[in-house]
Amino acid sequence: MSTISTEEQISNNNKLSYLKDFNEVFEFVKFSVNSIYKMKRAGLSLMLHGMPTRVGAYHVLGSNVIAMNSFVLDLVKKYSTSNAEYNAYLFTVLLHEYLHSLGILDENRVRFMSVGLCKKFFGEECMVTIMAENPLKIFPKLGYVSYDKFENKYEIIKNFDNANQTYIQ
């Protein structure tokens, strides 16, 4: 595993707070995973899907799909006091599911790796590390909302994970 200097951690925190969309955050996730764990893959799709609040996201095993809970995401948008908070949430959820897409199926191992990456890449006490440990520490109101349905509709995010595509869409 790589060692990241304090200056690089500060720079990584600053970069994360200025990212503009799902694709930019995901590219940063992939960069961080490759930097820390020397693992990568391409060609994933992101789907926003209304689902029970107990599910933040999931990766469909054997597929190229990450599904993120649109209901929870809307609440995070509403409760976020800054772009940094919102992006920290996106980063941790996409990181978790990206690790699953790399073939790491054990939930506890993925949580441990996610927190470990955030500590190394961003620093021990930063918001994204706290979010990786427990999103309710940043967004306590999420714990008071309960929704229990899987919706029939979903939205595919365009231009997601397209950095390695050489053809025109």
Side-chain angles (χ1 to χ4, degrees):
M1 283 194 248
S2 301
T3 303
I4 308 269
S5 71
T6 303
E7 291 77 20
E8 289 172 303
Q9 289 175 337
I10 291 167
S11 174
N12 291 337
N13 275 290
N14 289 336
K15 282 179 194 167
L16 180 61
S17 66
Y18 288 105
L19 299 176
K20 295 188 289 298
D21 59 25
F22 293 109
N23 192 53
E24 286 186 8
V25 173
F26 190 61
E27 288 302 316
F28 204 42
V29 166
K30 292 191 315 183
F31 173 78
S32 70
V33 169
N34 196 39
S35 296
I36 301 298
Y37 295 125
K38 307 296 184 225
M39 302 167 78
K40 62 182 172 181
R41 76 165 280 186
L44 290 166
S45 299
L46 178 63
M47 172 175 75
L48 301 182
H49 184 198
M51 52 184 123
T53 49
R54 69 182 179 278
V55 181
Y58 62 88
H59 169 256
V60 179
L61 186 62
S63 79
N64 69 337
V65 176
I66 292 173
M68 185 179 282
N69 189 329
S70 59
F71 184 75
V72 172
L73 187 62
D74 288 343
L75 290 172
V76 167
K77 259 186 220 165
K78 179 179 168 182
Y79 299 147
S80 289
T81 59
S82 67
N83 202 48
E85 275 186 359
Y86 179 72
N87 283 355
Y89 177 81
L90 285 182
F91 185 93
T92 58
V93 173
L94 290 172
L95 169 62
H96 185 98
E97 299 311 324
Y98 182 59
L99 290 171
H100 279 311
S101 82
L102 291 166
I104 304 161
L105 305 182
D106 182 80
E107 201 57 40
N108 289 325
R109 184 165 176 230
V110 167
R111 282 195 188 109
F112 179 80
M113 289 176 72
S114 296
V115 171
L117 180 142
C118 290
K119 285 180 179 178
K120 286 180 180 68
F121 198 74
F122 295 103
E124 298 264 341
E125 302 298 321
C126 73
M127 184 182 344
V128 70
T129 302
I130 295 165
M131 189 90 63
E133 291 170 337
N134 182 357
L136 295 179
K137 287 183 180 176
I138 305 292
F139 298 114
K141 291 179 183 176
L142 289 179
Y144 302 119
V145 179
S146 180
Y147 184 76
D148 210 33
K149 291 182 185 159
F150 277 92
E151 300 287 331
N152 290 326
K153 59 184 190 281
Y154 58 88
E155 174 188 356
I156 302 291
I157 300 301
K158 296 191 183 329
N159 301 315
F160 185 79
D161 196 21
N162 61 3
N164 296 327
Q165 294 176 358
T166 56
Y167 57 89
I168 298 173
Q169 294 191 44

